[in-house]
Amino acid sequence: MSLTSEHHLAPSTIRGYQTDLQLFSEYLTDARYGWAAECETQFGPGAHPVPICHEWNAIAHLNDYEGRPEARPFTREELQRFFDYADEQVERAVKAKRMGALAAYRDATLFKVMYGWGLRRTETSKLDLADWGRNPAAPEFGRYGMLHVRYGKAVRGQPPRRRNVPSVMGWAVEAIADYVDNIRPRFGCGDHPALWVTERGGRVKPAEINARFVAHRDALGLPKELSPHSARHSYVTHLTEDGVDRRFIQEAVGHRCDTSTAIYTHVSGDFMNSALRKALAPALEARRAEDGRGR
């Protein structure tokens, strides 16, 4: 109970803990390994390990989506405000002639890439320069036409899942190209493979991404339910609103089934109304044609 009520851990995290405990207790109580007999020899009759995870005390996996219900994407206006504020931090650092201008530029570009390619925080942190490539279907994007994500979210017990994400937002391609060509070299980390490097020559960590995101969000007074993952939700939502094929979006974000993509989608009222009119159009046209014949 303390993991949920006090530490507020996600059900999936708690289930991971209990799975580890269950596997370990099954190992201890399995007669093939002889631990129960050894414990009774060492500590006396009845002093043997027993299973501690049961159906009545274990958290069950009942829902496809177990994230926080208050989580949501940015609205387009909120997202623009966030990006504008990140860009302003660069200008302020340059005008004040103080340290941090390069890091501010890096962070501003990093957040744009998270949104522009629908990435998770850890996926973003682990990107390397070599992960970018050309896409023959979009030659206008040059060497940034395709992003190869090598550290996608893994299925339990499996290695990270890889996927290719085609570039679809020209302004985001321009942002990453400018960063790689003009800003990253100034960090002096030419031999480092990471896309996002620090002033000390290391790789930007997920916790650092989260800290900078929270600082920007709170400075703008944006709702606290917005998190770095909201950029990924926004990617799915905004592409859906723009009429991009759902299967394309599903493959781009690495979802195994469409239901996960549907959960990520929070389309606006305008989009829903437009979709409704489109869905109703055939029936209305048929009704008008029928009325016309009846006259």
Side-chain angles (χ1 to χ4, degrees), residues 20 58 65 83 116 150 157 159 201 204 276:
D20 292 340
Y65 177 70
F83 288 157
R150 294 178 294 115
V204 172
L276 174 63

Side-chain angles (χ1 to χ4, degrees), residues 123-249:
E123 293 172 349
T124 304
S125 171
K126 293 186 177 182
L127 288 179
D128 285 347
L129 285 169
D131 292 332
W132 297 99
R134 298 180 181 274
N135 183 357
E140 64 271 26
F141 293 148
R143 61 169 292 200
Y144 300 101
M146 185 74 73
L147 178 60
H148 184 50
V149 179
R150 294 178 294 115
Y151 290 92
K153 187 176 181 179
V155 178
R156 185 173 300 280
Q158 300 295 320
R161 298 171 61 202
R162 297 176 177 237
R163 71 180 187 277
N164 289 320
V165 186
S167 303
V168 295
M169 303 180 189
W171 62 268
V173 170
E174 293 176 2
I176 188 61
D178 180 52
Y179 165 77
V180 172
D181 293 342
N182 302 311
I183 303 301
R184 189 184 178 283
R186 298 171 64 180
F187 280 90
C189 304
D191 296 332
H192 201 295
L195 178 63
W196 316 111
V197 291
T198 67
E199 295 91 334
R200 296 184 178 182
R203 181 188 296 271
V204 172
K205 296 179 174 58
E208 295 169 322
I209 295 175
N210 192 70
R212 187 56 56 90
F213 177 92
V214 170
H216 287 8
R217 180 200 66 195
D218 293 350
L220 287 167
L222 293 173
K224 293 190 179 298
E225 55 261 30
L226 294 174
S227 69
H229 204 66
S230 295
R232 180 171 161 87
H233 282 248
S234 304
Y235 173 87
V236 173
T237 297
H238 297 166
L239 287 187
T240 300
E241 291 180 343
D242 293 340
V244 176
D245 183 79
R246 177 66 69 85
R247 182 57 187 273
F248 174 92
I249 300 173

